[in-house]
Amino acid sequence: MTGLRATDEVVDLVSRLIQFDTSNTGQPETTKGEADCAKWVAAQLEEVGYTTEYVESGMPGRGNVFARLPGADRARGALLIHVHLDVVPAEAGDWSVHPFSGTIQDGYIWGRGAVDMKDMAGMALALARQLKRDGTVPPRDIVFAFLADEEAGGTWGSHWLVQNRPDLFEGITEAVGEVGGFSLTVDRPDGGVRRLYLVETAEKGLSWMRLTCDAQAGHGSFLAAENAVTEIAAAVARIGAHRFPLVMTESVAEFLTALSEETGLDFSPETPDLESALFKIGNLARIIGATLRDTANPTMLSAGYKANVIPQHAEAVIDCRVLPGRQVEFERTIDELIGPNVKREWITHLDAYETTFDGHLVDAMNEAILAHDEDGRTVPYMLSGGTDAKAFAKLGIRCFGFAPLQLPPDLDFAALFHGVDERVPVDSILFGTKVFEHFLHNC
């Protein structure tokens, strides 16, 4: 293996990772688990000399792997590189290739998890192996973590580990994970282009809320003074139709300022219908637009068991994504919308997170991008979803999303997350591996 570089094996490693079916349904009885994949990752790390720790996070098969590369300054806080090994399910009949084939064709690596997030897992694994083979001593300790259960909120993954094995994160002060570092190509007024590399500095809160209503059951032909289905349906309709106010957080404001500077277009908060204006930058507007305000989207309804019986119980599930600092006001609004006869409870509740776009680690990200793309610029942004960063933030770890990819300008990257025919360009993986190597050497 002498002379083997990360770029020589990263494409194969991403493909191999995809071939492990680590589908996470969110239900323990139907989730396959990450054990086989995690043990394979551990073997790849041990092959080059790492001492690894394999941990099952509170449930059989929920495998996690940790490995530490000692740095030059052991007194500095360590850097956590975290990836998750689980993926959302995929129906093979809907795909052009089998979703767990890891097929490499037409310049892409295809399969479930190609962008979420076995691409970064492959880059992290390839670079961890290269750094160890080369005898590299990074500026600080680097901890590589390959984790379970992110796709179901991390209950049996990052959150379990933080609560039950905080020793695994001892000395870690900063972390880098997914959904950041990818490029957005915009046209400049001078006829050129700028590739903005979006570094995730914030995440909306992730809260799944159950609404319930209980009322008197009865025959479907009788007059009914109360009806649980009607109450739930009305509450769901009010929530679904409600538009929360536009709130400009620091991360979003900085992103929009940079976007205006590079394009010459006006993306200020005063822009009429800012969400629609954002579509001038392409389909990524679906993510960016969702970070301008809180959202509450009804996703599930359940009631009744027979056509002629008014049921006693009805319920619904609402997917709530809340901006940093907005939780109290959000809940007040929800209580007004549902009314007095409907009760609510959180099924899952994970807080929003935001950090500033500054410091040595941000400088290292920017330098790594510019070393490989002179037309690049790093900018902060907020993720409308959530990652394992929510768990690590509880330990006081400062978290960023930085999985660098230089993407084709016409690729609808947002649609690939959890989408049919999920795939990542081979060239993007090779570019990202080079950038990430530069970053790790200077972190």
Side-chain angles (χ1 to χ4, degrees), residues 44-210:
Q44 307 312 303
L45 293 169
E46 291 165 2
E47 181 183 53
V48 296
Y50 282 97
T51 298
T52 66
E53 183 165 359
Y54 173 82
V55 182
E56 292 200 342
S57 43
M59 193 170 288
R62 309 317 298 265
N64 306 265
V65 174
F66 290 79
R68 182 181 288 257
L69 182 66
D73 187 353
R74 304 303 302 277
R76 277 187 68 191
L79 175 65
L80 175 67
I81 306 298
H82 62 94
V83 301
H84 64 83
L85 297 176
D86 64 320
V87 298
V88 297
E91 291 290 337
D94 297 335
W95 286 57
S96 300
V97 302
H98 194 282
F100 298 104
S101 64
T103 298
I104 303 170
Q105 68 179 35
D106 302 327
Y108 285 81
I109 310 170
W110 298 67
R112 175 59 83 220
V115 299
D116 188 12
M117 63 172 301
K118 289 181 176 177
D119 55 347
M120 185 178 176
M123 289 192 285
L125 181 56
L127 287 166
R129 284 165 58 85
Q130 176 184 303
L131 294 172
K132 194 70 169 179
R133 282 193 303 262
D134 290 351
T136 299
V137 179
R140 63 204 286 198
D141 281 14
I142 299 176
V143 177
F144 295 96
F146 299 81
L147 305 172
D149 199 39
E150 190 276 344
E151 293 293 0
T155 300
W156 303 111
S158 59
H159 289 275
W160 187 95
L161 292 164
V162 164
Q163 293 165 11
N164 296 276
R165 290 294 309 274
D167 57 296
L168 293 167
F169 307 95
E170 186 175 351
I172 294 172
T173 57
E174 294 176 302
V176 169
E178 62 176 328
V179 205
F182 56 90
S183 66
L184 167 65
T185 302
V186 297
D187 295 324
R188 291 177 50 81
D190 60 9
V193 299
R194 177 76 73 207
R195 279 180 290 275
L196 302 178
Y197 290 85
L198 279 59
V199 176
E200 187 213 303
T201 56
E203 299 181 1
K204 294 178 82 173
L206 187 161
S207 301
W208 296 331
M209 180 173 62
R210 179 183 289 115

Side-chain angles (χ1 to χ4, degrees), residues 328-364:
V328 172
E329 180 62 22
F330 177 86
E331 292 187 21
R332 185 194 65 77
T333 301
I334 288 293
D335 287 340
E336 289 179 358
L337 291 171
I338 63 176
N341 298 323
V342 174
K343 297 178 181 179
R344 65 170 174 87
E345 62 176 324
W346 296 120
I347 305 169
T348 297
H349 178 65
L350 302 175
D351 291 331
Y353 173 77
E354 186 167 28
T355 188
T356 53
F357 187 62
D358 55 18
H360 174 78
L361 204 65
V362 169
D363 292 341

